[in-house]
Amino acid sequence: MKQIVQDLDILPSEPTAEEKAACDLPRVTQELNTGKQRKLYIESYGCQMNFSDSEIVMSILTQEGFDTTSTPDNADVILLNTCSIRDNAEQKVRNRLVHFKGLKRNKPSMIVGVLGCMAERLKEQILEEEKIVDMVVGPDAYRDLPNLINEVDSGHKAVNVFLSREETYADICPLRLSGDGVSAFVSIMRGCDNMCSFCVVPYTRGRERSRDADSILKEVTELVANGYKEVTLLGQNVDSYKWSAKDASEKVTFAQLLERVALVDSDLRVRFSTSHPKDITDEVLYTMKKYNNICNSIHLPAQSGNTRILELMNRTYTREWYMERITKIREILGNDCGISSDTIAGFCSETEEEHQDTLSLMKFANFDFGYQFVYSERSGTPAAKKLADDVPDDVKQRRLTEIIVVQRQLSLEHNQAQIGTVQRILIEGVSKKSENDLKGRNSRNMMAIFPKKNYTKGQYVDVLITGCSGGTLFGEIVEKV
């Protein structure tokens, strides 16, 4: 199935080179040369959790005799950290495996491994279908990678797809994948208990378990000490975070954890993703309002705007519930809070009227940006077992186009409203489009591009917004007198 993603980096017209780079390309390892014998190369696809997991994998393997490389041709071990949420994501990985066949032909000792959700979903089937693959490792088995690599070195295929009810990798200090020294992902929980009928995540990442709060705060504190200016707290459903000390002396909710992270350093920006509409509490919203360094941005996937379809999806909330949560966000945080969403077009049995409900919900919520997809049936899910994928492909694509048109207009209007305002921007680096420009985001998660002058990544600057496209703000740094 065709997948179309739209976010603040995508324009209503043809995306720029920078935007394509942000949305279409995987994240890859950076060069790390400390004189170790073997080179590791990782490509990470899909969600932010996968990027975070790859940082854990790098940390484990750099302790076991590996440096990293940004070029697969130089690698001794190639790992693809995969996504299984839609067929399109899996096809990207299969296409890459075809590319790596030539590399392995020239270097037979090269190890090729598949990690993550696709590995967990297909298990040994990948070894049978993709002969180039030597190793299949699920999201909870990364500690076993050194042993699995040794097994492959000895001439055997290796598989570990055991799902744990306890693994959080809390004691492993991730080796940061981006290498920008500005923003970092911090995983606070793993797995999902929500059992949405269309979703493979509960089967590929297991049940929910929360990481202990002390280890999270320790990691954040170390990031600040190392100069990082922004952290994103990650979980399939961060609002479900709940941790209790073994002696029951302490219990921590997500709102309480969010406050503790914000208090680590007032100069540290704090983001979080993803929130489930049924779980995001007023306490979380009031905590966001209390601390200026908690970013004014919430990703709140709706998936559909129709109650019957939401019930078929097992989202456990109604259209009215979602609208009430949007109203409460606006009431507590005001209209300056950016809200983004995920939307599925053409779910099983969706009618035209129900599709129109999704469009009207988008307008009611007034989303800043969104990720939109046609429904892609995934084997093994409740929807695949019990519901007919009966919306024709051409209807799905047409509905998807209509969703995107609405979102592009909403995004453009939000960006136009910023013209003439001064936005506090955290510089993330140099724009890929021009070396003379810098890029960064405001608290609301809007991307801005502006002339470099004498500034560099990691600095906060005030930017007067002078123009925009549907996906990007443009402006000039306001010099302090």
Side-chain angles (χ1 to χ4, degrees):
M1 292 296 180
K2 184 178 180 183
Q3 169 185 331
I4 297 181
V5 179
Q6 176 176 331
D7 64 14
L8 278 175
D9 288 338
I10 294 183
L11 305 179
S13 56
E14 181 67 17
T16 66
E18 181 167 7
E19 293 152 352
K20 285 181 178 178
C23 297
D24 294 339
L25 297 180
R27 292 199 178 197
V28 303
T29 42
Q30 305 296 310
E31 292 290 335
L32 176 65
N33 297 302
T34 66
K36 294 175 182 174
Q37 285 188 332
R38 304 181 80 178
K39 289 284 189 179
L40 169 69
Y41 173 82
I42 306 178
E43 286 186 5
S44 304
Y45 294 83
C47 67
Q48 294 171 327
M49 284 295 295
N50 269 11
F51 303 150
S52 178
D53 279 0
S54 290
E55 294 175 342
I56 290 169
V57 170
M58 285 195 299
S59 180
I60 291 170
L61 292 181
T62 54
Q63 298 296 317
E64 294 290 332
F66 284 88
D67 278 340
T68 59
T69 178
S70 61
T71 308
D73 306 58
N74 297 332
D76 298 290
V77 174
I78 291 177
L79 301 177
L80 299 183
N81 196 350
T82 62
C83 176
S84 244
I85 195 71
R86 291 172 181 83
D87 182 63
N88 175 274
E90 292 190 358
Q91 291 309 313
K92 285 183 180 180
V93 171
R94 292 188 185 273
N95 291 339
R96 287 299 282 162
L97 290 173
V98 171
H99 172 74
F100 293 144
K101 283 182 179 179
L103 298 182
K104 190 162 184 176
R105 190 179 302 117
N106 296 327
K107 190 177 182 180
S109 63
M110 176 184 287
I111 295 174
V112 177
V114 175
L115 312 181
C117 292
M118 185 175 173
E120 191 66 46
R121 192 179 82 85
L122 298 179
K123 302 179 173 63
E124 290 88 347
Q125 182 181 339
I126 297 179
L127 297 178
E128 298 172 2
E129 295 175 349
E130 304 289 349
K131 302 302 183 183
I132 187 179
V133 175
D134 303 297
M135 187 169 60
V136 177
V137 188
D140 290 346
Y142 296 145
R143 291 182 193 270
D144 197 31
L145 273 166
N147 295 327
L148 297 172
I149 291 173
N150 288 337
E151 192 173 338
V152 176
D153 283 338
S154 67
H156 304 284
K157 300 284 187 177
V159 177
N160 188 337
V161 289
F162 174 75
L163 282 178
S164 169
R165 287 181 174 268
E166 298 178 353
E167 181 63 83
T168 64
Y169 301 109
D171 60 319
I172 295 177
C173 181
L175 185 63
R176 302 299 165 182
L177 187 63
S178 67
D180 66 8
V182 178
S183 300
F185 297 129
V186 177
S187 176
I188 66 168
M189 62 182 299
R190 301 180 70 82
C192 185
D193 289 347
N194 287 316
M195 305 302 292
C196 298
S197 67
F198 55 82
C199 187
V200 298
V201 168
Y203 311 101
T204 60
R205 285 190 170 270
R207 303 298 298 271
E208 286 180 1
R209 61 272 191 200
S210 297
R211 180 178 166 190
D212 74 87
D214 292 336
S215 73
I216 294 169
L217 293 173
K218 179 182 177 183
E219 182 176 340
V220 172
T221 301
E222 290 175 352
L223 286 167
V224 171
N226 289 324
Y228 282 82
K229 295 296 181 67
E230 181 179 88
V231 295
T232 300
L233 307 181
L234 293 182
Q236 257 72 41
N237 179 18
V238 291
D239 300 283
S240 292
Y241 177 89
K242 49 186 179 295
W243 173 75
S244 298
K246 290 184 178 180
D247 62 1
S249 61
E250 184 181 22
K251 294 183 179 181
V252 181
T253 66
F254 177 61
Q256 292 166 338
L257 176 69
L258 190 59
E259 180 172 48
R260 293 185 187 188
V261 173
L263 288 170
V264 168
D265 191 313
S266 61
D267 202 36
L268 176 73
R269 274 189 174 176
V270 182
R271 300 187 185 275
F272 58 90
S273 185
T274 293
S275 291
H276 195 289
K278 72 177 176 63
D279 291 323
I280 189 167
T281 64
D282 291 358
E283 185 183 6
V284 169
L285 302 179
Y286 281 115
T287 301
M288 292 176 66
K289 182 177 182 180
K290 182 177 179 181
Y291 296 96
N292 291 331
N293 60 329
I294 301 177
C295 289
N296 219 12
S297 175
I298 298 174
H299 188 60
L300 196 68
Q303 306 299 1
S304 173
N306 176 266
T307 295
R308 187 184 76 87
I309 295 298
L310 290 170
E311 184 175 359
L312 289 178
M313 290 178 169
N314 195 35
R315 292 292 286 172
T316 67
Y317 56 84
T318 64
R319 172 188 175 91
E320 290 72 27
W321 174 277
Y322 189 93
M323 293 172 71
E324 186 278 330
R325 287 289 81 196
I326 294 294
T327 299
K328 184 60 70 170
I329 291 170
R330 300 299 185 201
E331 176 186 314
I332 295 173
L333 297 174
N335 291 326
D336 286 335
C337 180
I339 304 175
S340 56
S341 183
D342 297 344
T343 310
I344 295 174
F347 189 70
C348 306
S349 77
E350 182 187 62
T351 67
E352 273 313 306
E353 292 75 15
E354 289 165 341
H355 165 61
Q356 292 298 319
D357 283 346
T358 294
L359 299 180
S360 66
L361 181 73
M362 292 172 64
K363 294 173 184 176
F364 172 84
N366 198 17
F367 296 129
D368 278 37
F369 65 98
Y371 301 89
Q372 293 95 22
F373 310 89
V374 294
Y375 173 59
S376 175
E377 185 177 83
R378 311 308 289 136
S379 62
T381 60
K385 294 176 182 178
K386 299 178 181 179
L387 302 173
D389 183 9
D390 54 1
V391 179
D393 286 349
D394 60 335
V395 175
K396 288 181 180 178
Q397 294 296 334
R398 190 256 303 160
R399 291 178 185 173
L400 177 64
T401 299
E402 292 176 1
I403 288 169
I404 289 172
V405 166
V406 169
Q407 186 55 63
R408 283 177 171 170
Q409 183 59 39
L410 294 174
S411 297
L412 178 61
E413 290 172 0
H414 281 300
N415 283 1
Q416 288 173 333
Q418 306 306 309
I419 295 175
T421 67
V422 175
Q423 297 292 312
R424 188 69 168 168
I425 304 293
L426 174 60
I427 300 174
E428 298 175 4
V430 177
S431 168
K432 287 185 174 68
K433 187 176 180 181
S434 170
E435 292 185 357
N436 296 319
D437 291 331
L438 296 171
K439 64 178 181 179
R441 297 176 187 269
N442 64 4
S443 173
R444 191 168 173 163
N445 208 26
M446 292 175 164
M447 176 64 76
I449 305 294
F450 43 91
K452 183 189 299 185
K453 296 186 177 180
N454 295 319
Y455 294 89
T456 186
K457 67 179 182 180
Q459 292 181 287
Y460 288 101
V461 290
D462 292 324
V463 176
L464 174 64
I465 306 304
T466 57
C468 72
S469 67
T472 308
L473 305 174
F474 304 103
E476 296 277 348
I477 294 175
V478 178
E479 300 284 1
K480 293 182 179 180
V481 179

